Amino acid sequence: MPIYPTLDKTWNFNVNQALSAQGTTLACNQNLLYQIINTLTTFSPGWQVRGASDSTHFGILALSAAGPYTGTGAWTSGSSCVWGTPTTAHSWIVLRNTALGGTYSEILISCDSSGSGGIFMWMSPGSGFTGGSTTSDPTASDQFQLNAGGSSNLSYGSQNAKVAYALHAMMSSDGQCTRVWVYSTGTFQSIWIIDQLKNYSTGWTTPWVVHTDYLLPTTGYWSTTTAYTFGCVNNLNSGGYEVTNLATQQFLWTGEGPNNLVTLAYNAPNDLNSLYPMTPIGLYAPSSTSPLRGRHGMWYDMWWGCAGPPFPAGQLYAGASAHAFVQIGPIIFPWDGSATMNQS
Amino acid sequence: MADFPQLVKTWQFNVNQLLVETNAQLTDARFMLWALIDSLLGFTSNPWTISSSNNMVNTTVASGSNNVNINTFTGSGVLNVQSTSGAASSGSVLIPSLKAIISYTGISGGNQFTGCTTTYGSGVLQTSQVVHTAPVWASSGTAHSWIVLSQTGISSSFQLLIACSSGTTSYDLNVWFSPSIGFSGGSTTVDPTASDSTPILTNGNWGVQSSAYQYKLHAMQSTDGTCTRVLITQYQAGSSGCVCSGFLSIENAENPVPGWTYPVHVMWLGSTSSPVLTVNTLYQNFNAYSRATANFTLIWTGENINGTFLPTFFLAPNDLSGEWMCMPIGLWSSTVGSRGRHGSLYDIWWGINDNAYPIAGPQGVPFIGANGNTFVQVGALVFPWNSTTMQLS
């Protein structure tokens, strides 16, 4: 009899959202970004808009003011998303999630890029964003830029083409964990994971992490077995922040295994019980990023899945109920029981 | 505030046992083998028992020899014991409490060793002192010692066979276990067999030197009998320092997968002088054994980053918490027919591989836990401990 993990969290789902192709590439991109934000703010509890710019107007609430922000510049449709270089008019939005543990735990998403295929994202673990204008982004004293550890913009799943998208989002009912991923033309495009960690290190005052990952044409992160060795494990795509030391941190994902992951060591069910393994995922800050080195916690309700035989994208697993889990690339997530995962 | 693991089992300890060098390798090995077995037999809760043996007599001094000084055994002495059953017609006996060895030329009446000569040690015999026949090493087909031990805490018929059939090198042993059927047969020259026997050591080092040496012996067992661990430690001059040269681990797995009917894991790592509790022996090589429908080997798993083992990644405490890592240990097999991750081990953890001992890890480093010295790190592993200072040699 199969054995499935007992979930730590209860989850709210808004998955299998079909975003039809728009008339232009820009319109497709605008619609996708807007729908992602709209999904995050629709969860209850969910993310709260604290401020926004639509490139012609902007506004942002005082840190201690009640929200959400609904004034001028608030995003109301895809057309609110306007891209422009940092000193020219562009859109941005600040979202707050107090369940993450900081006083003002917030993320800033900015369209300060000349092309609409990418965005920039910052996290403020506890201080919150203030300021900004239609041509400049708000800032926070503890802000940390999230873009795969580099200066390039960050994917939100856009293919930069006139295509349809499938948008999937889930958020724990306590608000501490958010996951959003995008498929298009049958292929994984991007994922954001914004979670407070499980069993985090003592001394980490704002133990939440943002992980962003996306499809690379040459290596297919998260879409094939290369994700195990190149997607999560080797790349510092997960960012966190420790307030006391005013230091940022990037993490590697860990897993159990004999010299590598169990899920890679043998790409088949266990010979004795005929079950595929699901193993927990830890987060480790490597020694190159002092002063926050060490193993600092693990993700809630996420597991390494088996690398093979090659599963179809969106492989579903039963649980206590049918279709209780879904595998995307190397990772297994809880699922809402839908019989398929839309890959558009 | 430091966080320590919560123990799943309660533990009983017989640690820091000193085995003084006797100036003879064979004698040292004989005392060590019996000290190890006596440790297993001596636990208060669910001790191991002897099921059968050949020339491995476990008896005590009888009243007829009470208060006899063994220096009177000069060729015609008589040692009165409770039983000589199973003893060879001539040989030697060990008196562990006196660290004495006495040769004999005959047995009489089922309770006397005759023609006794004290060849090592001194002291006065007391009733109820333990007496063992000295194990004899010889190749199979020639008279040699063997013993079958049982532990019902693991399974109703779990047995361990220790045989001195490895030729005349007493730093080697042959060892098997039977998870559920038990050993039968055997003779003075042939080891017993079991249809489900699984080899653990085949003419393999079991932890003692090839020359005379002094050791410390440490044994621990869960009170339910499901987990037994024995460590043999010694001092090596130079960079190795104090090392664990022998490690016996016999334990039921935690959270075993369905289909592993008798989920017992057995490992006996041994060397004459090198550390055995290393990442290489445990994490990178299949040195543990078990059996489902057929025998299979196991490797100990741990948390890693694309193959880089966390205990070897950053050799210092966590920057945020200031704490050293203790990480759980899983079990994984690549033996065809038994492939997969099959469970984990109770109350044992990977510790950080310290800079000073990049291969062996630190030796005998205590961790406080809820009480003082509640845990100890030996090599790459952290064990529960009885709050004493671990003595290594």
Side-chain angles (χ1 to χ4, degrees):
Chain A
M1 178 182 170
I3 302 168
Y4 295 96
T6 301
L7 298 183
D8 287 316
K9 305 282 188 183
T10 55
W11 293 89
N12 297 319
F13 295 91
N14 190 354
V15 296
N16 286 329
Q17 298 180 59
L19 309 184
S20 57
Q22 307 294 302
T24 64
T25 295
L26 176 60
C28 290
N29 291 344
Q30 289 176 312
N31 187 50
L32 175 59
L33 181 57
Y34 173 76
Q35 293 301 339
I36 290 173
I37 302 303
N38 188 51
T39 299
L40 295 181
T41 56
T42 303
F43 280 117
S44 180
W47 291 77
Q48 183 187 74
V49 178
R50 299 296 303 176
S53 163
D54 63 5
S55 80
T56 55
H57 301 91
F58 83 99
I60 190 165
L61 294 171
L63 288 173
S64 59
Y69 176 76
T70 56
T72 57
W75 292 10
T76 56
S77 67
S79 60
S80 298
C81 304
V82 178
W83 276 262
T85 53
T87 56
T88 61
H90 64 271
S91 299
W92 51 258
I93 193 164
V94 173
L95 304 175
R96 176 181 291 180
N97 182 354
T98 55
L100 290 170
T103 305
Y104 304 123
S105 298
E106 294 179 350
I107 60 171
L108 163 66
I109 294 169
S110 173
C111 302
D112 57 353
S113 167
S114 57
S116 62
I119 58 164
F120 285 79
M121 184 189 292
W122 287 260
M123 64 184 291
S124 168
S127 297
F129 290 93
T130 59
S133 69
T134 57
T135 58
S136 63
D137 296 328
T139 57
S141 58
D142 61 352
Q143 70 182 30
F144 176 40
Q145 188 174 7
L146 300 154
N147 50 7
S151 60
S152 60
N153 59 7
L154 179 148
S155 173
Y156 59 97
S158 164
Q159 287 210 72
N160 227 7
K162 283 197 298 182
V163 293
Y165 292 97
L167 173 61
H168 310 273
M170 54 189 292
M171 191 165 182
S172 61
S173 59
D174 60 6
Q176 292 182 340
C177 303
T178 305
R179 291 98 189 246
V180 182
W181 66 97
V182 175
Y183 266 76
S184 180
T185 58
T187 305
F188 168 84
Q189 298 298 326
S190 72
I191 189 163
W192 298 350
I193 301 168
I194 310 171
D195 279 18
Q196 187 178 91
L197 297 186
K198 180 180 181 181
N199 295 335
Y200 54 83
S201 292
T202 303
W204 192 4
T205 51
T206 54
W208 61 284
V209 168
V210 179
H211 177 86
T212 61
D213 222 331
Y214 53 96
L215 171 71
L216 285 187
T218 54
T219 54
Y221 290 2
W222 280 68
S223 63
T224 72
T225 57
T226 58
Y228 290 89
T229 49
F230 297 108
C232 302
V233 183
N234 272 350
N235 281 337
L236 295 162
N237 285 1
S238 299
Y241 193 99
E242 198 285 315
V243 171
T244 305
N245 293 307
L246 296 178
T248 57
Q249 184 55 276
Q250 291 176 294
F251 298 93
L252 299 170
W253 290 24
T254 68
E256 181 187 338
N259 269 323
N260 53 19
L261 299 176
V262 164
T263 44
L264 272 177
Y266 178 51
N267 300 331
N270 187 304
D271 278 342
L272 299 183
N273 65 3
S274 301
L275 300 178
Y276 283 97
M278 297 170 71
T279 61
I281 306 169
L283 286 103
Y284 188 86
S287 58
S288 60
T289 50
S290 173
L292 303 179
R293 296 163 295 187
R295 199 263 198 190
H296 291 315
M298 55 198 299
W299 298 113
Y300 282 105
D301 294 347
M302 281 171 56
W303 306 267
W304 292 108
C306 205
F311 286 128
Q315 170 74 39
L316 295 171
Y317 297 86
S321 57
H323 309 143
F325 300 91
V326 64
Q327 181 166 347
I328 307 164
I331 305 299
I332 297 174
F333 296 89
W335 187 245
D336 74 335
S338 300
T340 58
M341 188 185 81
N342 184 351
Q343 299 169 57
S344 193
Chain B
M1 178 180 169
D3 299 315
F4 294 95
Q6 297 293 312
L7 296 182
V8 179
K9 304 283 187 181
T10 54
W11 292 86
Q12 47 197 336
F13 298 89
N14 188 356
V15 297
N16 292 329
Q17 300 177 58
L18 171 64
L19 286 97
V20 177
E21 178 185 335
T22 63
N23 300 320
Q25 187 278 334
L26 175 60
T27 306
D28 288 344
R30 285 169 157 172
F31 275 112
M32 174 58 83
L33 184 57
W34 265 115
L36 189 157
I37 294 168
D38 282 341
S39 296
L40 303 186
L41 302 176
F43 287 115
T44 302
S45 298
N46 293 298
W48 291 70
T49 57
I50 298 174
S51 293
S52 59
S53 67
N54 176 59
N55 199 20
M56 290 286 280
V57 174
N58 179 35
T59 187
T60 56
V61 173
S63 57
S65 291
N66 191 35
N67 290 325
V68 173
N69 195 314
I70 62 172
N71 64 11
T72 63
F73 291 162
T74 58
S76 59
V78 174
L79 173 59
N80 295 281
V81 296
Q82 295 299 323
S83 172
T84 58
S85 177
S89 58
S90 63
S92 299
V93 295
L94 309 175
I95 316 290
S97 58
L98 300 179
K99 197 68 179 180
I101 185 163
I102 299 168
S103 66
Y104 66 92
T105 58
I107 54 177
S108 176
N111 56 7
Q112 288 184 327
F113 293 103
T114 59
C116 290
T117 302
T118 298
T119 59
Y120 186 85
S122 61
V124 176
L125 295 172
Q126 301 292 329
T127 302
S128 300
Q129 276 176 328
V130 170
V131 177
H132 296 307
T133 51
V136 174
W137 271 263
S139 299
S140 183
T142 308
H144 63 270
S145 299
W146 53 259
I147 188 167
V148 175
L149 303 170
S150 295
Q151 177 49 267
T152 55
I154 295 173
S155 77
S156 60
S157 299
F158 179 89
Q159 291 186 340
L160 183 75
L161 166 60
I162 301 172
C164 302
S165 53
S166 52
T168 56
T169 52
S170 57
Y171 49 88
D172 288 339
L173 285 172
N174 287 316
V175 181
W176 297 262
F177 75 93
S178 167
S180 62
I181 294 176
F183 292 93
S184 59
S187 68
T188 58
T189 60
V190 177
D191 297 326
T193 59
S195 58
D196 64 348
S197 72
T198 305
I200 306 162
L201 279 181
T202 303
N203 298 330
N205 293 170
W206 56 284
V208 295
Q209 279 271 10
S210 57
S211 58
Y213 225 77
Q214 176 169 302
Y215 306 95
K216 283 288 175 66
L217 179 67
H218 315 271
M220 62 186 78
Q221 183 188 294
S222 61
T223 53
D224 61 5
T226 58
C227 302
T228 300
R229 295 152 188 174
V230 180
L231 296 89
I232 299 170
T233 61
Q234 56 176 278
Y235 180 77
Q236 286 293 306
S239 60
S240 295
C242 298
V243 301
C244 175
S245 58
F247 176 57
L248 172 61
S249 164
I250 307 171
E251 32 207 313
N252 274 349
E254 185 175 20
N255 298 323
V257 294
W260 192 9
T261 308
Y262 299 100
V264 59
H265 147 291
V266 184
M267 176 165 63
W268 194 327
L269 297 172
S271 167
T272 55
S273 59
S274 299
V276 296
L277 295 184
T278 67
V279 170
N280 181 56
T281 56
L282 299 164
Y283 173 72
Q284 294 172 326
N285 285 285
F286 292 86
N287 282 321
Y289 298 88
S290 190
R291 180 179 177 86
T293 54
N295 299 342
F296 63 90
T297 57
L298 290 157
I299 199 169
W300 288 17
T301 67
E303 197 168 334
N304 67 84
I305 303 167
N306 195 27
T308 301
F309 194 38
L310 289 198
T312 62
F313 201 117
F314 174 51
L315 309 178
N318 184 304
D319 276 339
L320 294 180
S321 65
E323 295 171 350
W324 296 90
M325 280 196 296
C326 284
M327 297 195 312
I329 299 171
L331 299 169
W332 187 84
S333 177
S334 66
T335 305
V336 174
S338 300
R339 292 165 295 194
R341 198 265 193 190
H342 296 324
S344 55
L345 294 174
Y346 287 104
D347 294 347
I348 189 170
W349 306 268
W350 295 110
I352 290 283
N353 236 33
D354 185 79
N355 265 331
Y357 299 95
I359 303 300
Q363 307 291 343
V365 175
F367 296 86
I368 54 172
N371 302 305
N373 298 351
T374 304
F375 302 91
V376 68
Q377 180 164 355
V378 184
L381 302 178
V382 177
F383 297 89
W385 196 247
N386 71 341
S387 299
T388 60
T389 298
M390 186 180 192
Q391 300 167 14
L392 292 141
S393 65

